[in-house]
Every structure is written in C-alpha cells, then in structure tokens.
Amino acid sequence: MNIATKKLLFYWATSFILATIFYYILWMIMPRHNVFAALFRMFLYHWEYPISFIAIPCFFYGILATIFAKTFLSQTIAKQILLTLVIITLTIFLSSPFGGMLWHYYDMKAGYFPSNWILKMIKNGFVQGLEIGWLIILLSVPYNILGAITCYFLTKKGSELFSSQ
C-alpha cells in the first residue's frame, strides 16, 4: 500500500470514528437528541440515518487532508489554522451535493421511486445539497465546532505521522 493510500485511510477512518463518537456523545446530552440542525418542515433523514451523512464529509476530508498534509506541516500555527478553514470549507462544498443526493434517496425510499429516480436524485440532490447543505452544517452547533477543532488536530497528527515517509 502506498503512502497516499495509507494517509487517506488514516484520515478517513480516524475522522469517521471520531465524528461518530462525538455525534453519539452529543446525542446523549443534547436536548431532544438534536445534534444536527434542521430547517422548518424538513424531513429529518439526517437525524434518522446520521452515520451515512457523517461518512460523506469524512471521506472528502480524508482526500483533502491527504492532499494538504505536507503543506500543513510546514506552516506556522496561524497558517495551519487558515489551512484548516480552507479544508473545512472545501469539505463542506464537496460534501453538500452528495448529502443532498443521499437525502433524496432516503426521501424516495420513504415514499416511492419514480421511473427516472437516479437522474432525479442526482439533479435535485446536487442542487438542494449546495443550496442548504452548508446551512445545516453551519447551524449544527456544537457538533460543527467539535468537528473544526478535530479537523485541525487530526490534520496536524496525520501530517506528523506521515512526514518521515
């Protein structure tokens, strides 16, 4: 296994495990177990199936952290924090369309699948994910704050672990 694959697996698996643990810790202590935000009259598939919605940004974070790991390590702390914000922003931008598609898949699963369901899921999910996915993430306090802090320290740790290889 090459170094890029090891980095990707490290970042993806570790972020996914930590994000899932943080989700369930917050789920136990948050009022009415509302870890993720929701818009008014929104079907709450991301509450019903949180793990699948957590996996998407963790995957994209893994790709981005792998790409930026070498650069991250050579920066000052201020620039590391700025690079972390770039990674978070790109992760949200890349994840939102896929989260929207997943939401549409669960919506069709709860009702019916039209004859052109894949095209509908891709088209509507992509657009709606970009329109509101970022807002759901922004409003999901304190989960998003824990995620941002974890992103910094996990990117730093991974950069250090793989710097000699």
Side-chain angles (χ1 to χ4, degrees):
M1 188 179 318
N2 67 26
I3 189 70
T5 305
K6 287 180 183 178
K7 275 193 228 182
L8 176 63
L9 289 174
F10 169 78
Y11 285 125
W12 183 81
T14 307
S15 66
F16 180 72
I17 291 166
L18 290 173
T20 302
I21 290 169
F22 290 152
Y23 174 84
Y24 284 108
I25 289 171
L26 289 174
W27 185 86
M28 288 188 295
I29 62 175
M30 293 289 289
R32 295 185 308 270
H33 309 295
N34 295 345
V35 177
F36 296 142
L39 300 180
F40 183 67
R41 297 180 54 106
M42 175 183 200
F43 288 110
L44 305 175
Y45 302 121
H46 58 300
W47 289 8
E48 193 171 340
Y49 307 102
I51 302 305
S52 54
F53 285 94
I54 289 170
I56 295 170
C58 290
F59 175 75
F60 285 106
Y61 163 76
I63 293 170
L64 293 167
T66 299
I67 292 168
F68 290 114
K70 193 171 186 176
T71 305
F72 188 90
L73 196 56
S74 65
Q75 302 299 315
T76 63
I77 291 176
K79 288 184 180 179
Q80 287 177 344
I81 292 169
L82 184 61
L83 187 55
T84 301
L85 294 174
V86 168
I87 291 170
I88 290 168
T89 303
L90 289 172
T91 298
I92 292 168
F93 179 73
L94 293 170
S95 301
S96 291
F98 293 95
M101 286 186 259
L102 183 61
W103 187 92
H104 273 275
Y105 170 77
Y106 285 129
D107 193 50
M108 286 185 261
K109 186 177 167 190
Y112 77 100
F113 285 86
S115 59
N116 60 342
W117 72 272
I118 293 176
L119 183 61
K120 189 171 190 156
M121 179 182 67
I122 292 170
K123 182 182 170 192
N124 294 344
F126 192 92
V127 171
Q128 290 177 350
L130 283 175
E131 287 176 347
I132 65 170
W134 63 272
L135 182 58
I136 300 297
I137 293 167
L138 182 69
L139 296 173
S140 296
V141 176
Y143 187 77
N144 57 6
I145 295 170
L146 280 171
I149 293 167
T150 302
C151 182
Y152 172 79
F153 286 107
L154 184 56
T155 306
K156 186 175 181 73
K157 183 65 177 173
S159 298
E160 292 166 354
L161 279 174
F162 295 103
S163 67
S164 63
Q165 298 177 1

